[in-house]
Amino acid sequence: AQSVTQPDIHITVSEGASLELRCNYSYGATPYLFWYVQSPGQGLQLLLKYFSGDTLVQGIKGFEAEFKRSQSSFNLRKPSVHWSDAAEYFCAVAASNFGNEKLTFGTGTRLTIIP
Amino acid sequence: DTAVSQTPKYLVTQMGNDKSIKCEQNLGHDTMYWYKQDSKKFLKIMFSYNNKELIINETVPNRFSPKSPDKAHLNLHINSLELGDSAVYFCASSQGPQTGELFFGEGSRLTVL
């Protein structure tokens, strides 16, 4: 069965600084990988996804993520954060033969932005 | 127009009661889901329906009964509520199982006293 680890429970970043959120997955074959964002009191919104092809994927709101098979990682990055990026970020993995039906989420990383 | 809407947003109730949460999506999607998010923010799938048919039931106690009257609606009924049922319940939808994007509702926070 697949699993996801987000090693950082909480990260604090200054506005305008760069950001990297870590995600490691465990899955025997090529996974489908996702990053979702949850703003306070809201549901989750998809930031980006990786299915195949180019290992650097671009998402909404200026985010990108890089799939590194050798490290079983799919880290999320943003070159310059904005106060509105403060939220909870979830990495998720799905078995490629099931897709959404077997989506497994990590426990999330809470991002705080300081002025 | 809200794409995936859930009601109620908040539920406070006593142990042993029965409660329902309703979900509707206006995206024309075929697949709908219920997820449970616990106090540690861990998000776990409970059920998945595709075109009104149950596809996934992830070892959820049978006190939880989903019902899909049509593909735009997926309701969750919970009998004999227990303290451990306190959580935020999210409804979601997708165009299909291989699309890779779930659209989530805003969640329904259930508190069992």
Side-chain angles (χ1 to χ4, degrees):
Chain A
Q2 66 264 30
S3 66
V4 177
T5 302
Q6 293 181 248
D8 304 307
I9 296 172
H10 186 200
I11 282 185
T12 300
V13 175
S14 298
E15 190 168 14
S18 64
L19 170 72
E20 182 167 29
L21 301 182
R22 296 183 291 164
C23 171
N24 293 97
Y25 69 90
S26 172
Y27 180 60
T30 301
Y32 289 172
L33 293 160
F34 309 83
W35 275 100
Y36 279 82
V37 61
Q38 184 180 23
S39 297
Q42 302 294 313
L44 281 73
Q45 180 186 21
L46 181 69
L47 282 177
L48 46 78
K49 63 187 178 187
Y50 171 79
F51 279 12
S52 64
D54 193 347
T55 56
L56 185 63
V57 292
Q58 303 296 320
I60 62 171
K61 306 185 183 190
F63 285 92
E64 66 178 26
E66 186 170 12
F67 170 56
K68 292 186 178 179
R69 184 188 301 276
S70 61
Q71 297 175 20
S72 297
S73 69
F74 189 56
N75 294 348
L76 183 71
R77 300 195 293 248
K78 186 169 185 179
S80 175
V81 297
H82 186 262
W83 64 266
S84 60
D85 293 325
E88 192 92 24
Y89 290 80
F90 292 90
C91 183
V93 62
S96 53
N97 54 337
F98 283 102
N100 294 337
E101 301 299 333
K102 288 286 187 180
L103 195 62
T104 299
F105 285 87
T107 49
T109 297
R110 184 157 61 96
L111 176 63
T112 298
I113 308 293
I114 55 176
Chain B
D1 256 357
T2 305
V4 181
S5 57
Q6 301 178 223
T7 53
K9 199 163 181 177
Y10 299 96
L11 268 171
V12 180
T13 189
Q14 302 285 334
M15 268 198 313
N17 284 350
D18 304 338
K19 288 293 176 189
S20 291
I21 306 172
K22 295 186 176 182
C23 178
E24 176 182 3
Q25 55 96 1
N26 63 6
L27 298 167
H29 289 165
D30 285 339
T31 310
M32 294 185 73
Y33 311 79
W34 278 111
Y35 276 83
K36 178 180 179 181
Q37 187 176 47
D38 65 21
S39 58
K40 294 186 174 154
K41 298 276 188 174
F42 183 59
L43 200 65
K44 186 168 166 54
I45 190 168
M46 300 173 69
F47 301 104
S48 167
Y49 269 73
N50 188 57
N51 220 352
K52 303 193 298 174
E53 285 194 33
L54 180 66
I55 303 298
I56 285 185
N57 178 345
E58 283 289 305
T59 59
V60 177
N62 58 16
R63 297 183 295 104
F64 290 79
S65 52
K67 280 196 173 51
S68 183
D70 55 61
K71 71 175 194 176
H73 295 84
L74 180 61
N75 303 324
L76 183 66
H77 188 75
I78 315 170
N79 290 329
S80 305
L81 278 157
E82 300 177 357
L83 293 177
D85 298 331
S86 295
V88 181
Y89 292 85
F90 285 99
C91 178
S93 72
S94 69
Q95 283 183 320
Q98 297 294 329
T99 59
E101 180 167 8
L102 299 179
F103 291 79
F104 282 83
E106 293 185 346
S108 298
R109 181 177 293 275
L110 171 65
T111 302
V112 182
L113 303 174

